[in-house]
Each structure stands twice: as C-alpha cells, then as structure tokens.
Amino acid sequence: MSAHTAHSGHSAEPIPRYWLYGEPPALPELRFVHIETIPERMRLYNWEVRPHRHDGLSHALLVTDGGGRLTADGVEVAFRAPALITVPAQVVHGFRFDPGTDGHVLTMSEGFLAGVLAAAPEAELREAPALPLAWDLGVGSDEAAALDRCFAEIRREFRAHHIGRASAISAQVMLLLVATARLAADRRRDEAGRDGQGVSPDLRLLARLRPMIDERFSQHWPVERYAAALGVTAGRLNAACRRVTGLSTLQLVHARLMLEARRSLIYTSHGMAEIGYALGFEDPAYFSRFFTKREGRSPQAFRRAHGDGGMGSSLDGNGLDRSGGGSPQ
C-alpha cells in the first residue's frame, strides 16, 4: 500500500451529498444493506467517483482484481487487489478505479451497523469502522481468503431471501468487523514506527470521538466536555468534524440521538415520554420538538408511517434492499 497527502485547500463549492451516487440525498432506512459488484456501478461512471459524502451510509469494499486510488479527507491512498477498503458514513471520499477492476461493494446504514456493533463486547470492534481504511492484502493470504468468503456469503444471502437472511448477513458483517479491527491494529503499529504518517489528524480525532458519542449521546454532553475528554479545544474539535463530515460536533451528537430515536420508534412499543427519557430528555414536549425539527414530522407521525415496517416497495421487513438498484458509492 502506498499513500501520499493531497491537501490542496478547500474549494468554495460545497461537497456533494448523495443517496445513490449522483442523486439527491435521502435518509436511509435504519437497517438498510446493499451489495453489488464494483463493475456494476463503476462502468456507468467511467471508473471514477468524484469526492462526495453520504449521510448515514458506510461502505466496505473487497477488491479482488485490479486496483485504483481512494481519496478520503484529502488523503489519497493507492490500493492493489486483493484489498479491503472501508469508508465511514459522512467522510468525504472518492475513487479512481483502474478499468476492469473487480470486487464487491457493501453499503450499510448506520442503524444496521450500530445493531451489529451492539452485540460486540470488544471496544476495538466498535472503533474500527470510525476510520477510512485501504489495506492491501497478501495474495493467497488467509485473511484475503476469509474476506472473500465473507463477501461471497453476504452476496449469496442478499440474493436468496432465505429465512434468517438478516441474521446471516449480520453474522458475516461481524466477521468483517473483526477483520477490519485487526487490519486497523496493524495499521496503528505500522504508523507508530513512521510517526503516524498517512492518516490526517482530523480523521484520527474523529475516530476517537465517534465511540465517545456512542457512549455518551444520551447524557447530552456539551461540545466542550467532549473536547476536554479528547484533550483538544472545542474549536479544534468542531473544525475537525466540519472538515471531515461537513457537520459540527453538536450535529454529530444530534444525529446519533436521532438514530436511536428512530430505532426506538420503529422497533419498540415504548411511549413517547419513555423514549424521550431514555434519550436524556427530561421534558417529553422538548423531545417531540427536537425530533420534529430534524425529521420534518412528529415522533407519532414517524411511528405511524413505519407501522408496517415503513420500508416501501424496494425494501423487505429487515431493511435489506432488494430493488436490484445500484448501491451508493
């Protein structure tokens, strides 16, 4: 793997946000999952995806043939097959694939990923998806073979619609997270020997912040408290969050609160006051206003819309995309 930084300042043009690449942004269903091959989408865009970001969607790619370059937060990393690439939600990223590159693209909503991670006792598994990763694997190595089986099983389950489909895919994603955590640990050891080159300080700071938000979002910590816990100023933390995600620290915390609120409204029968209290809102009316302002409808209306799963014709009851459309890139 080779890398070089490519910071060239920030354009006056806003970073595009997409649902499917090239389409307007939309809120993904809480347990949305999709997998397709790299050529299925990349042939449509001449093997290049311009820098952009997604709200609430993460990617994992297994490159089995060919190669290219990943750009994440202004840092460009070259990769050659076999390679594993992960891109967290909201991180600005782009790809330039060599024509003919092959492999799989797995796209997961933050809600789905959070559900899988909730069953992981190891903190390292929860921290691993917080950093973009592009890691060349050894040709014929055990880890490359294991990941190939993992992605193949996800694709098989995704297409088959068997009983237990969501559980089977979740199990394979857990194995993928284990592999990612181990590769991230290898990267940290490598970087310790070369003064941490290759990953920007902003990305490092965000990688430390995300697990902290997961643990503390319902406690409604002020930004200053997160910053103090991370050993930086609130201004430094906000600047890093905005550069990497386009959102402030407080917006990231609120996004996590909204994710948990949506999950509770869809998958539990708890009342509005009970959900609000669990999320740290002492006043149910304030919780309702908070939710309505960000969702565009009240918690009650959101629950009614999802009373039958609320997934629409292109998704099954587990939030697994079965439309046959392309995954976001």
Side-chain angles (χ1 to χ4, degrees), residues 21 42 45 47-52 93-97 329:
Y21 181 69
M42 289 303 94
Y45 294 98
W47 302 94
E48 181 174 5
V49 171
R50 304 289 292 175
H52 66 285
H93 65 284
F95 289 99
R96 291 203 308 272
F97 292 99
Q329 293 290 329

Side-chain angles (χ1 to χ4, degrees), residues 249-265:
T249 309
L250 187 60
Q251 287 174 315
L252 290 176
V253 175
H254 286 173
R256 185 64 181 85
L257 276 165
M258 286 296 293
L259 170 60
E260 201 65 25
R262 293 184 189 105
R263 293 172 72 185
S264 297
L265 288 165

Side-chain angles (χ1 to χ4, degrees), residues 40-60:
E40 282 173 325
R41 178 133 307 253
M42 289 303 94
R43 288 194 184 108
L44 302 177
Y45 294 98
N46 198 29
W47 302 94
E48 181 174 5
V49 171
R50 304 289 292 175
H52 66 285
R53 63 166 64 96
H54 305 285
D55 290 329
L57 291 173
S58 298
H59 299 311

Side-chain angles (χ1 to χ4, degrees), residues 204-219:
R204 291 178 177 280
L205 189 55
L206 194 68
R208 294 168 58 207
L209 173 66
R210 287 185 186 275
M212 192 176 293
I213 290 176
D214 285 339
E215 293 178 6
R216 306 295 184 180
F217 68 89
S218 64
Q219 298 178 23

Side-chain angles (χ1 to χ4, degrees), residues 185-240:
D186 289 342
R187 165 173 278 190
R188 286 194 296 271
R189 285 192 293 270
D190 288 348
E191 289 171 353
R194 53 187 177 94
D195 299 324
Q197 298 297 313
V199 178
S200 76
D202 290 340
L203 281 172
R204 291 178 177 280
L205 189 55
L206 194 68
R208 294 168 58 207
L209 173 66
R210 287 185 186 275
M212 192 176 293
I213 290 176
D214 285 339
E215 293 178 6
R216 306 295 184 180
F217 68 89
S218 64
Q219 298 178 23
H220 294 234
W221 275 17
V223 172
E224 291 76 11
R225 189 166 181 183
Y226 281 106
L230 293 167
V232 298
T233 66
R236 168 74 181 93
L237 184 59
N238 268 316

Side-chain angles (χ1 to χ4, degrees), residues 19 67 82 97 100-101 103 113-114 124 136 165 183 198 208 213 221 228 246 258 287 294 302 306 318 322 324:
W19 165 237
F97 292 99
T101 294
L113 199 53
E124 294 84 356
D136 291 350
R165 175 180 182 236
L183 290 170
R208 294 168 58 207
I213 290 176
W221 275 17
M258 286 296 293
F287 165 64
R294 288 156 182 82
F302 180 86
H306 290 76
N318 295 314
R322 61 184 182 188

